[in-house]
Amino acid sequence: MSNVQRIPVLPVHGTSRKKNQMELLKSKRTQIALVVLIIQNSTLVLMMHYSRMNQDPGQPMYIASTAVFMAELIKIAACLIAIMHENGQERFLQVLYRDLACQPKELLKMLIPSGLYAIQNNLLYIALSNLEAATFQVTYQLKILSTAIFSVLLLGTALTKQKWMALLLLMIGVTLVQLPTSSTASSEKITGSTQNQTVGLLAVMASCVSSGFAGCYFEKILKSSNTSMWIRNIQLGISGAFFSFIAVMAYDYPRIAEGGMFQGYGLLTCLVVINQALGGLLVSLVVRYADNILKGFATSLSIILSSVISFRLFDFQPSYHFIFGAMLVMLATFVYGRPVPQTVKRL
């Protein structure tokens, strides 16, 4: 008989089960974030457009740059509350000192995406003030294509032919969904405002490019470090508030000096600001657990939801191209998320 001692092999079922539970939790977080993002995007465009097109008689229009600035401040406040909730009051100041005050270089990294986001948010108000809602929503989907291109260039994402085909289907579907009909054209009446379609189109196209680059750049920073997402958003908010304040002073100081910073603000304006601020945090959650292109698909699905809400509110009837476009968007979402089958070579 051999005296070789056998070493017992410990089962790995516990580790495997824990890993599966973590992956399941991550998947659920991604799904919840995407659903909430769809709802947020659906309401934001409608609320922003309505707030710019329908102002109470005798009340001045609110200043868009101040709304962008206030959204950044609300975002910072929300992140501070989240950090205090995660770390407790005792470690709250310690975490801020360690991750913010002691790391100025990390704050400098946020200058590029925060500056682009500030430009993008101001351009959105310009676009929604000069374009019809349908035209804006169609053109704004160019950000999905720009995001895909910047994902390849900045993140090294390899998009298969299947994914490019999904992007093409998505663009066609969203365009069909948002094609204006006779009922929508007659119902969308703009009162008390003058629109410049050229300015609106240039604004929304520039916003698409800015959104795609900033989103991919921010995703690269988030996934290349272990810094808390809340800290990253505070850094982003501080830089964004700085650039937004410069825009307020540079372009709207005479109006603010005359009528005050919060002139024209009402309940709807406050809801738009809060919605935009929290929407930025939702985007960060999505890119933390998914990617920017998946965020783009969620945005596209939200367009369908917002269109359905518009139909219900204004008693519109869905057209054939709306139904066909919605089916294409759903198909594109399925095709993009479907794993590519691996070919097995036979020996």
Side-chain angles (χ1 to χ4, degrees):
M1 295 292 294
S2 175
N3 294 327
V4 177
Q5 184 178 4
R6 294 185 178 181
I7 301 176
V9 179
L10 297 177
V12 295
H13 299 291
T15 305
S16 177
R17 184 181 305 170
K18 185 177 181 180
K19 183 178 179 180
N20 292 335
Q21 290 177 351
M22 293 296 294
E23 291 179 354
L24 182 61
L25 179 61
K26 181 179 178 180
S27 177
K28 288 183 178 180
R29 287 178 177 176
T30 303
Q31 293 173 3
I32 293 174
L34 286 174
V35 170
V36 177
L37 183 62
I38 290 172
I39 298 175
Q40 184 267 341
N41 281 332
S42 302
T43 57
L44 179 60
V45 172
L46 293 174
M47 291 169 61
M48 286 180 66
H49 181 71
Y50 187 83
S51 68
R52 300 302 291 177
M53 295 296 103
N54 296 272
Q55 196 71 11
D56 294 336
Q59 187 177 10
M61 176 65 66
Y62 69 91
I63 303 174
S65 60
T66 63
V68 175
F69 176 69
M70 292 304 302
E72 296 294 341
L73 296 183
I74 294 175
K75 184 193 303 182
I76 295 174
C79 292
L80 290 175
I81 294 174
I83 293 176
M84 181 179 293
H85 176 73
E86 286 185 352
N87 299 276
Q89 296 182 0
E90 297 180 355
R91 298 187 63 248
F92 174 67
L93 294 178
Q94 180 183 354
V95 171
L96 293 182
Y97 177 77
R98 182 193 64 198
D99 295 337
L100 284 177
C102 295
Q103 298 188 26
K105 292 183 179 180
E106 296 298 319
L107 181 61
L108 294 178
K109 290 181 181 179
M110 295 292 107
L111 291 178
I112 294 178
S114 62
L116 291 174
Y117 278 134
I119 294 173
Q120 173 196 347
N121 291 331
N122 282 280
L123 288 174
L124 289 183
Y125 282 99
I126 296 175
L128 284 166
S129 300
N130 290 279
L131 291 177
E132 296 181 357
T135 305
F136 167 79
Q137 289 180 330
V138 171
T139 313
Y140 196 48
Q141 294 318 296
L142 290 174
K143 69 177 183 177
I144 302 174
L145 183 59
S146 67
T147 299
I149 294 174
F150 285 121
S151 293
V152 174
L153 297 178
L154 296 180
L155 304 177
T157 304
L159 298 181
T160 61
K161 293 181 179 179
Q162 172 181 305
K163 294 184 183 295
W164 283 113
M165 182 60 67
L167 289 172
L168 179 61
L169 288 176
L170 176 69
M171 297 297 296
I172 297 174
V174 171
T175 303
L176 289 175
V177 165
Q178 293 300 323
L179 282 178
T181 61
S182 57
S183 59
T184 57
S186 61
S187 63
E188 192 163 328
K189 297 179 180 179
I190 309 301
T191 59
S193 64
T194 56
Q195 292 183 317
N196 188 324
Q197 188 171 5
T198 303
V199 173
L201 288 175
L202 291 176
V204 72
M205 291 177 67
S207 179
C208 290
V209 177
S210 174
S211 174
F213 182 82
C216 293
Y217 188 92
F218 188 46
E219 178 182 346
K220 185 176 182 179
I221 294 176
L222 277 179
K223 294 185 176 180
S224 62
S225 67
N226 295 324
T227 305
S228 168
M229 185 198 70
W230 305 116
I231 294 294
R232 285 299 187 194
N233 274 282
I234 291 178
Q235 295 169 342
L236 195 66
I238 292 174
S239 303
F242 171 74
F243 287 114
S244 300
F245 183 75
I246 292 178
V248 169
M249 293 293 102
Y251 296 102
D252 297 311
Y253 178 75
R255 291 182 58 191
I256 294 175
E258 180 181 354
M261 184 172 180
F262 300 106
Q263 57 179 295
Y265 272 61
L267 177 60
L268 181 59
T269 307
C270 295
L271 291 177
V272 169
V273 172
I274 295 173
N275 196 343
Q276 191 174 26
L278 299 182
L281 298 179
L282 285 174
V283 170
S284 300
L285 285 173
V286 171
V287 300
R288 184 73 172 183
Y289 299 112
D291 58 39
N292 268 283
I293 303 178
L294 190 58
K295 180 196 71 177
F297 278 106
T299 305
S300 300
L301 292 175
S302 71
I303 291 177
I304 296 178
L305 180 59
S306 63
S307 300
V308 172
I309 294 175
S310 299
F311 284 135
R312 295 292 297 175
L313 289 178
F314 299 102
D315 198 22
F316 292 159
Q317 296 298 324
S319 60
Y320 289 109
H321 57 71
F322 173 85
I323 298 174
F324 183 64
M327 293 174 61
L328 281 181
V329 172
M330 298 298 180
L331 176 62
T333 306
F334 173 76
V335 171
Y336 179 81
R338 184 181 180 184
V340 180
Q342 300 291 334
T343 57
V344 180
K345 295 182 179 180
R346 295 184 178 180
L347 298 178

